Amino acid sequence: MSRKKRLVEKVFKVFCEGDTEYNYFEYIRKNKKVSLAIRPINMKGGGYANFLDQIKEDANSNCLAKFIVIDGDRALSFPGELDVLKGIIDYCKKQNSSKRTPHILIIDYPDFEYVACLHTYAYKGQKVEQYIKRELGYRDVDAFKADDKVFKVLVESGKGSIEQLINSVNHATAIVNNDFSINKSKYEIFVKSTINMSNLGKKGTNFDDFYKVLGELGVVI
């Protein structure tokens, strides 16, 4: 008797560096039934180089796409980090141009906490730390980062929504602008990126790309 073939589910992989990002994506994975494999990166001691090493070492098998979610503030705060960030950008572009597993780069400036605020209706550019305490009710930013229900607070509590985030993103200030060609029937994703390093230092993000890709593939959150 022949053995039954074991079907291996393909996943989206998410590489992210901070507790807030991990908690955000982990909530989606657990509660929204989205096939995410989350790869947290320890930035202490290695910085962006740890990101680059883990992306390169990670296998591409059974992976629909890799989302690489990076805070851009290190590039201006630590010597040598700008060059390594450029290395990550170049690596992702090479993977995409070779039609391998899509590497969808997302750079948030200054950080994901700013992007979190963009989810909410009351955010109008206030200082992030003050906003998180006054409007979202956290003791401090560390308490916000540690909250494993941060997605619920931002999206499901009535304070904000995914649509609010998408509508709040200003691509004119984003470092990365990704152009996608997506074949829903075959689950194929092709990416072409335009990089504007002159926007480094300006508040900006292309985090909406995460929802754009999933939405075009029919994945509902």
Side-chain angles (χ1 to χ4, degrees):
M1 182 181 295
S2 61
R3 293 182 180 180
K4 291 182 179 180
K5 290 184 178 179
R6 180 173 176 264
L7 297 178
V8 179
E9 183 181 23
K10 291 191 175 183
V11 301
F12 300 98
K13 291 185 179 179
V14 178
F15 295 80
C16 57
E17 63 181 272
D19 291 340
T20 318
E21 294 97 309
Y22 177 83
N23 288 330
Y24 182 98
F25 288 114
E26 178 66 1
Y27 187 91
I28 292 174
R29 186 191 69 80
K30 290 173 63 176
N31 296 281
K32 303 299 180 180
K33 297 182 179 179
V34 179
S35 296
L36 296 181
I38 307 169
R39 301 287 188 265
I41 309 295
N42 182 0
M43 299 288 281
K44 294 179 180 179
Y48 291 141
N50 282 355
F51 239 111
L52 185 55
D53 289 344
Q54 291 204 35
I55 296 167
K56 286 182 175 181
E57 293 171 2
D58 186 80
N60 289 332
S61 58
N62 303 316
C63 179
L64 291 167
K66 296 181 180 182
F67 292 95
I68 295 98
V69 185
I70 298 177
D71 290 347
D73 54 353
R74 290 187 65 91
L76 297 182
S77 301
F78 296 91
E81 287 289 74
L82 177 57
D83 287 338
V84 184
L85 179 61
K86 289 178 179 178
I88 294 173
I89 292 170
D90 289 342
Y91 179 77
C92 291
K93 292 180 74 172
K94 287 178 181 177
Q95 299 304 301
N96 293 331
S97 63
S98 64
K99 303 295 191 296
R100 297 173 185 169
T101 299
H103 284 53
I104 302 169
L105 181 61
I106 295 172
I107 300 180
D108 304 322
Y109 193 89
D111 50 35
F112 186 77
E113 283 65 48
Y114 163 69
V115 175
C117 292
L118 291 181
H119 287 71
T120 62
Y121 304 122
Y123 187 69
K124 306 298 179 186
Q126 300 96 311
K127 290 184 178 181
V128 168
E129 184 174 358
Q130 293 178 3
Y131 184 83
I132 286 173
K133 291 193 290 186
R134 293 176 183 176
E135 297 294 333
L136 299 183
Y138 287 89
R139 180 182 70 253
D140 51 33
V141 174
D142 286 339
F144 177 73
K145 290 180 177 181
D147 186 2
D148 61 4
K149 294 182 174 58
V150 63
F151 180 91
K152 184 175 183 179
V153 171
L154 297 174
V155 175
E156 299 178 343
S157 66
K159 296 179 183 292
S161 66
I162 293 170
E163 290 76 16
Q164 177 66 19
L165 164 71
I166 293 170
N167 292 333
S168 297
V169 170
N170 179 8
H171 286 283
T173 61
I175 298 167
V176 181
N177 279 282
N178 291 315
D179 184 34
F180 299 102
S181 176
I182 297 177
N183 186 323
K184 181 179 177 180
S185 63
K186 295 182 179 180
Y187 260 59
E188 291 179 339
I189 307 166
F190 301 103
V191 189
K192 185 176 181 180
S193 301
T194 302
I195 308 299
N196 190 346
M197 294 305 293
S198 65
N199 280 339
L200 188 63
K202 301 177 184 177
K203 285 185 176 180
T205 184
N206 60 307
F207 190 80
D208 56 323
D209 285 345
F210 175 73
Y211 290 110
K212 183 185 299 182
V213 170
L214 266 60
E216 291 197 26
L217 290 173
V219 179
V220 179
I221 295 179

